[in-house]
Amino acid sequence: MSLLDILLLVLAGFVSGAINAVAGGGTFIAFGALTLVGVPPITANATTSITQFPGYVTSTLAYRRELRKIGRASFPYLIVSVFGGLIGALVLLALDNPQFRAMVPWLLIAATSLFAAGPRVTRALRARDLHSPPWLAWLIQFVVAIYGGFFGAGMGIMMLASLGLTEGDDFHRINAIKTLLSVVIAVIAIAVFVQGGIVDWKAGSVMLVAVALGGYLGVAAARKFPQTYVRGFVIAVGLVLTVYYFVTG
């Protein structure tokens, strides 16, 4: 890597860490930066999973009180998430870079759309009266976990929607389960990616430190901006990356 590449990864890592702490969506920035410095798409996707992992862990720790109350109710979600995340990661591992590269713009536009719809999804979940049977939420979570193991951007929004089907109107309860399942899916996917040898440890190490610093130091600065502006920036990045990958074929 050149000095310019390292600087880009550090900046992208710092920004993604700060954005994740405030509004979420840092995956777009991290994935985009890795591909721009020449990391192959599949490797960039796998490496991004590692760079974002500490944020999942710290969020889960922050919700430990809620998770203690939830207890065994989260077990079915954990089980389907393990198998779903494993399937998604194995599917990614079975592809070659040209195949995955052709899918990237479609994945990005889908994830960007989900991220843009996030606030509306949250409001709809809080206002909803009807509940679906538990097995439906478990089935949907299984599908979401497959997606998360394959390509993590937008996974959180998907889980908020699926968990909201049966877990009531307590947003913190839903978000607590979501963060726990994010850790489980990430652990499974990372294990597969490491075993498959598709992680760029050099670029990942540079970005991992920057993400950690961004999450810790950048949040104070990021909070000075309205969350709508931060979300708007993430959506703009997602759209720019989508257009870039469509145009470059």
Side-chain angles (χ1 to χ4, degrees):
M1 290 187 295
S2 67
L3 179 59
L4 184 60
D5 290 343
I6 294 174
L7 290 175
L8 176 60
L9 291 178
V10 169
L11 177 61
F14 185 88
V15 172
S16 69
I19 286 176
N20 276 338
V22 177
T27 302
F28 294 111
I29 290 91
F31 177 80
L34 287 166
T35 55
L36 288 176
V37 301
V39 178
I42 288 179
T43 302
N45 186 41
T47 305
T48 299
S49 298
I50 292 177
T51 62
Q52 304 303 303
F53 181 70
Y56 295 149
V57 174
T58 54
S59 295
T60 301
L61 292 175
Y63 272 119
R64 58 187 180 275
R65 183 174 61 183
E66 286 80 2
L67 289 171
R68 280 196 295 266
K69 293 180 180 178
I70 294 167
R72 295 181 180 180
S74 65
F75 284 3
Y77 295 112
L78 289 170
I79 293 171
V80 298
S81 295
V82 167
F83 287 102
L86 179 61
I87 291 172
L90 289 174
V91 170
L92 178 68
L93 206 61
L95 298 177
D96 56 32
N97 277 295
Q99 290 173 318
F100 183 68
R101 174 64 177 76
M103 300 173 67
V104 164
W106 299 102
L107 291 168
L108 283 172
I109 192 61
T112 303
S113 300
L114 284 168
F115 185 79
R120 292 183 180 180
V121 171
T122 301
R123 288 194 295 269
L125 292 176
R126 287 175 172 174
R128 139 192 91 64
D129 303 338
L130 300 177
H131 296 272
S132 298
W135 64 264
L136 180 59
W138 301 337
L139 178 61
I140 295 175
Q141 176 58 30
F142 177 67
V143 176
V144 172
I146 293 175
Y147 172 85
F150 183 78
F151 188 72
M155 177 178 68
I157 297 299
M158 290 183 177
M159 281 197 281
L160 286 176
S162 64
L163 293 169
L165 292 171
T166 57
E167 294 304 315
D169 298 322
D170 187 342
F171 180 75
H172 289 295
R173 174 186 173 88
I174 295 173
N175 210 32
I177 300 175
K178 182 208 75 175
T179 57
L180 176 62
L181 300 182
S182 295
V183 170
V184 171
I185 294 169
V187 166
I188 297 297
I190 289 171
V192 173
F193 298 154
V194 171
Q195 182 67 27
I198 60 172
V199 177
D200 188 329
W201 290 107
K202 184 180 294 185
S205 298
V206 171
M207 185 165 278
L208 186 62
V209 173
V211 169
L213 289 174
Y216 184 74
L217 300 176
V219 65
R223 285 188 187 280
K224 294 180 181 179
F225 298 93
Q227 191 174 109
T228 53
Y229 292 174
V230 179
R231 293 185 62 85
F233 173 73
V234 174
I235 292 168
V237 169
L239 291 175
V240 168
L241 288 173
T242 300
V243 172
Y244 170 80
Y245 284 112
F246 269 124
V247 170
T248 57

